[in-house]
Amino acid sequence: MFTQYTIANLQLENRSVRSATATGTCEVTSGIPEQQFYKLYQSLARGHPGLIIQEHAFVSLRGNAGPKHLGIHSDDMIKYHKKANDLMRAANSSIRICCQLAHAGPNGIATDKIDVNTATISDLEEVVQQFLEAAVRAQQAGYDCVELHSAHTYLLSQSISNYYNKRTDCYNPTEFKLLKDVLTAIRTVNIPIGVKLQCDDFFEGFGMDAKNTCTILNQLNFDFVEISGGDVAGKAKYGTIRQGKDTYYYRHVIAEMKSQNLLNKQPVIVTGGFENIQDAQIALDDGVPLVGFARKFLRNDQFLVEEDTKKCIRCNQCIGKLVQGQSAECPLQVKQ
Ligand SMILES: Cc1cc2nc3c(=O)[nH]c(=O)nc-3n(C[C@H](O)[C@H](O)[C@H](O)COP(=O)(O)O)c2cc1C
């Protein structure tokens, strides 16, 4: 865990990644960070993960997932992102920071939100343009890389899953045109690009699975890929942000990726269910170079640099608070 690693010419201090975690610390609808946001990210940087993937930032107001989420939908937002990046680097000069670009699609709160099945071609072309413009802003704000949020039933994620995407035109799920077009567009910007993929929706006979994940990764060239398992909690066998302790429950996908030599094609991050450094070692031993943690950092953002006595019990009150428009603090944070 504590050895260096390089992704796309970016040297990471160690193999741990703070996976994107919406904190609910922005203004209600504008996407502008509040003071708590900056404090929180400075503290995270002091906890020395190799890479911080910033919470998802919506690329357009139509793609905003909910109240108090972060935006990167206009040039006016660049200065807020730059301020956060500068503060994180002042707190830890070796920190690497990734901007996660997202469009919530049907999960959004806008009255004119987009559904993958009913979107017009021009809606989808507009989405590609919005991702491109957001990536340019991310580069101007000083991020080291960007990650496309193509997981957890957001627009890009639904577009690649035949559980959700029933289109028969060129945006059908087997051609993953939307994801491909976004990648191609952002390749014109001088910034490394990763993707977060739900590698298995855990729906019987439908949706993303190991085979589809490998097909996408064989055809598209990302600078890194973050593998996250599961769909919406309660709907599929495994939810991405599920309660309970199923560590590394999508290991079969990693095995398939390994058999197709896809662990060597680009750096891979696995995220979901890792509670501590010992858990992470299972994935590292499988040959996965990087391990992501989300709720663990909410519970204790210093767990990599101090004795870790604060356990995440996966009560999911953090996500519950976020959905209700509050900050996603861990309710156990004050108790040790
Ligand atoms: C409060 C909360 C907010 C989240 N926000 C994001 C997000 O902004 N982007 C994202 O890709 N995943 C988000 N996730 C999912 C996590 O990145 C991660 O994939 C998931 O929680 C499983 O990892 P864990 O078991 O380490 O928590 C969020 C999860 C939680 C609990």
Side-chain angles (χ1 to χ4, degrees):
M1 176 62 86
F2 295 103
T3 55
Q4 294 179 345
Y5 193 74
T6 303
I7 58 172
N9 295 329
L10 299 169
Q11 194 172 322
L12 310 187
E13 192 183 350
N14 58 54
R15 311 300 187 93
S16 75
V17 174
R18 186 280 198 155
S19 186
T21 313
T23 58
T25 56
C26 297
E27 289 176 5
V28 179
T29 52
S30 68
I32 297 175
E34 293 181 323
Q35 278 317 311
Q36 197 189 346
F37 178 97
Y38 300 112
K39 249 179 86 180
L40 199 147
Y41 278 98
Q42 273 175 289
S43 178
L44 256 174
R46 279 194 290 270
H48 281 267
L51 176 70
I52 291 179
I53 304 180
Q54 182 72 274
E55 63 196 86
H56 74 260
F58 54 86
V59 299
S60 76
L61 287 171
R62 284 181 96 177
N64 181 3
K68 308 200 78 173
H69 287 251
L70 177 67
I72 192 156
H73 54 296
S74 72
D75 289 350
D76 191 45
M77 297 304 297
I78 297 171
K79 57 179 177 290
Y80 305 110
H81 287 265
K82 185 173 182 321
K83 177 176 171 182
N85 289 337
D86 289 348
L87 287 169
M88 282 187 264
R89 292 200 174 99
N92 171 0
S93 59
S94 54
I95 196 69
R96 299 296 187 182
I97 315 165
C98 176
C99 182
Q100 191 187 54
L101 305 177
H103 193 300
N107 296 311
I109 50 168
T111 47
D112 59 347
K113 63 188 172 194
I114 297 180
D115 181 272
V116 68
N117 289 306
T118 55
T120 63
I121 304 255
S122 91
D123 284 334
L124 296 174
E125 287 172 351
E126 189 179 59
V127 166
V128 174
Q129 183 63 23
Q130 288 163 342
F131 269 97
L132 169 61
E133 287 168 10
V136 171
R137 290 179 199 119
Q139 196 243 9
Q140 290 171 353
Y143 284 100
D144 294 302
C145 51
V146 295
E147 180 185 71
L148 307 180
H149 190 345
S150 185
H152 314 161
T153 74
Y154 277 27
L155 186 65
L156 293 179
S157 135
Q158 291 205 349
S159 77
I160 58 175
S161 168
N162 68 7
Y163 181 82
Y164 293 102
N165 183 352
K166 303 295 180 194
R167 291 181 80 113
T168 52
D169 65 358
C170 57
Y171 290 97
N172 68 71
T174 43
E175 290 183 56
F176 38 88
K177 177 172 164 54
L178 187 60
L179 182 61
K180 205 184 286 179
D181 287 356
V182 170
L183 172 65
T184 305
I186 299 181
R187 276 286 176 225
T188 59
V189 185
N190 183 22
I191 194 161
I193 312 168
V195 67
K196 184 172 186 176
L197 285 177
Q198 88 276 24
C199 62
D200 194 330
D201 290 334
F202 292 105
F203 291 120
E204 290 298 316
F206 275 104
M208 285 294 286
D209 57 15
K211 186 170 157 274
N212 294 341
T213 296
C214 291
T215 303
I216 291 176
L217 293 179
N218 270 311
Q219 291 188 33
L220 302 187
N221 295 319
F222 289 100
D223 295 308
F224 65 94
V225 56
E226 181 178 7
I227 295 294
S228 163
D231 193 81
V232 175
K235 207 163 155 194
K237 182 177 169 204
Y238 288 109
T240 298
I241 310 172
R242 76 234 159 272
Q243 291 185 302
K245 288 197 162 274
D246 309 297
T247 301
Y248 197 19
Y249 53 95
Y250 41 83
R251 196 175 187 179
H252 61 285
V253 180
I254 299 303
E256 184 59 33
M257 285 171 63
K258 205 171 186 174
S259 78
Q260 297 193 29
N261 212 18
L262 285 167
L263 284 188
N264 295 326
K265 186 180 176 193
Q266 73 286 285
V268 174
I269 306 165
V270 284
T271 297
F274 298 105
E275 163 65 21
N276 52 36
I277 294 164
Q278 288 74 24
D279 283 351
Q281 194 58 45
I282 309 169
L284 296 174
D285 289 346
D286 270 354
V288 180
L290 298 157
V291 179
F293 303 84
R295 284 166 292 182
K296 180 67 186 173
F297 277 110
L298 285 179
R299 179 69 182 101
N300 178 13
D301 65 9
Q302 304 299 308
F303 79 96
L304 294 164
V305 293
E306 66 178 28
E307 199 189 339
D308 179 25
T309 54
K310 302 170 194 166
K311 301 289 176 207
C312 168
I313 59 168
R314 304 195 186 281
C315 62
N316 277 0
Q317 290 189 56
C318 51
I319 191 79
K321 285 176 157 201
L322 185 69
V323 170
Q324 287 162 22
Q326 299 167 27
S327 64
E329 275 164 33
C330 172
L332 303 177
Q333 195 69 43
V334 285
K335 304 176 206 148
Q336 298 305 311

